[in-house]
Amino acid sequence: MRKPLGAALFALVIAGAGAAPAVAAPEPAAVDTETATSVVRDAVTSTTAAVSRITAPTVQAVNFAGTVSLSNCSGSVVRFPGSEDNDPAMVMSNGHCLETGFPAAGEVIVDRASSRTFGLLNAAGTRVATLRASKIAYATMTDTDVSLYQLTTTYAQIKSSYNISPLTMNDTHPVAGTAITVVSGYWKRTYACNVDGFAYRLKEGAWTWKDSVRYTSACQTIGGTSGSPVVDNATGNVVAVNNTGNEDGGRCTDNNPCEVDESGNVTVRAGINYAQETYQIPACFGVDNKLDLSASGCTLPKP
């Protein structure tokens, strides 16, 4: 799995982008037919481009605001579509990022006390605050790989103190081909790619996950990116949580998950990385962000 960070260190190289040089306007010249035609053509092109800029849909650049760094993983402050500003804020990461270690296959953790801390990042990736959990509201590595911590602060308090809003969790299934960004609060690094498709079952060692998101090859996530939110570039909403990748071509072993289809056929995709869908989570949280695993539409595994 895209495991918690161990002793390994990774060198991150950031390439700077240079600005395009300005082009000086030519000296005035005598106007002839060819020049006049060129001027009209350029004017039409310029106007068309301007109209395109006005009418084209705007896609906000994905940044680090609302993401968090854990001691060994990444995560994010999330809200559900029905959450209110005065609700206790929630932090999402992976089940395998718990401070108590990996949950066993079939294990589900609910309402366990926790005082874990998280480093809150602003848009630029600067740590601006330390948030603290009051409990692990829900965590498992069965069917999915997720942990949800309830914080001691509300969304409104975080917004008032740091001008940072939570990321909203989509409650609809992600779509193949969607442009996405994996945002790692641990590394303060982003990975851009697309949803390549979905694995009916993703098996890794003792754990099996259902309907996992498979990235295109551009998202080469590394250790420490576990728990990163997977953001839909067009909406800014969370559609999945990053959790694993096949590191060296192994078949269904730790750090080398394999895909299993409905007929039991196994496919190994060396170097390809995965995330777990989150659309099914909001149905399990009600008023005041309280967990209700018996709620209508809630399909998360139960203890």
Side-chain angles (χ1 to χ4, degrees):
M1 58 203 66
R2 195 55 64 226
K3 52 190 176 297
L5 191 70
L9 298 177
F10 298 88
L12 303 180
V13 178
I14 301 176
V23 178
E27 290 297 323
V31 177
D32 56 25
T33 304
E34 183 177 350
T35 301
T37 301
S38 176
V39 169
V40 172
R41 183 173 58 247
D42 291 347
V44 172
T45 301
S46 177
T47 302
T48 301
V51 171
S52 177
R53 285 194 298 271
I54 293 171
T55 59
T58 300
V59 177
Q60 297 295 326
V62 176
N63 59 46
F64 295 96
T67 61
V68 299
S69 58
L70 285 66
S71 58
N72 57 350
C73 287
S74 300
S76 57
V77 180
V78 294
R79 67 179 296 150
F80 312 117
S83 295
E84 298 183 351
D85 291 345
N86 61 353
D87 288 341
M90 308 291 290
V91 161
M92 179 177 69
S93 188
N94 284 147
H96 77 258
C97 291
L98 290 178
E99 64 269 41
T100 52
F102 293 10
E107 182 180 6
V108 176
I109 297 164
V110 172
D111 291 334
R112 176 186 291 176
S114 172
S115 58
R116 192 171 195 180
T117 58
F118 312 91
L120 176 66
L121 307 185
N122 65 13
T126 302
R127 180 171 177 152
V128 295
T130 298
L131 305 176
R132 185 175 295 276
S134 61
K135 66 179 180 179
I136 301 168
Y138 183 88
T140 192
M141 286 179 67
T142 298
D143 294 353
T144 186
D145 183 6
V146 69
S147 58
L148 290 153
Y149 290 83
Q150 181 174 301
L151 302 186
T152 58
T153 47
T154 66
Y155 299 118
Q157 289 170 329
I158 294 172
K159 178 69 173 178
S160 175
S161 297
Y162 313 108
N163 196 31
I164 293 175
S165 299
L167 303 179
T168 299
M169 190 181 294
N170 257 13
D171 58 3
T172 57
H173 194 285
V175 177
T178 299
I180 54 174
T181 302
V182 182
V183 189
S184 172
Y186 186 96
W187 285 114
K188 301 176 180 60
R189 180 176 175 181
T190 61
Y191 303 80
C193 61
N194 292 76
V195 175
D196 183 56
F198 307 95
Y200 174 72
R201 296 289 183 268
L202 192 67
K203 180 173 176 56
E204 180 173 344
W207 298 276
T208 300
W209 303 305
K210 296 180 178 180
D211 198 20
S212 303
V213 173
R214 178 176 62 247
Y215 305 144
T216 53
S217 58
C219 277
Q220 290 296 306
T221 50
I222 59 176
T225 64
S226 287
S228 299
V230 179
V231 178
D232 181 332
N233 293 352
T235 65
N237 291 347
V238 176
V239 295
V241 57
N242 180 68
N243 81 309
T244 194
N246 187 292
E247 295 185 358
D248 54 27
R251 182 184 171 96
C252 314
T253 60
D254 289 354
N255 305 317
N256 287 290
C258 63
E259 298 183 22
V260 184
D261 68 15
E262 294 91 331
S263 300
N265 300 310
V266 175
T267 301
V268 173
R269 302 179 191 267
I272 294 298
N273 297 300
Y274 300 88
Q276 299 308 307
E277 297 167 350
T278 52
Y279 77 96
Q280 71 276 38
I281 295 174
C284 303
F285 285 83
V287 176
D288 298 329
N289 280 353
K290 289 183 178 178
L291 178 69
D292 182 2
L293 293 176
S294 64
S296 175
C298 177
T299 59
L300 288 177
K302 298 173 176 56

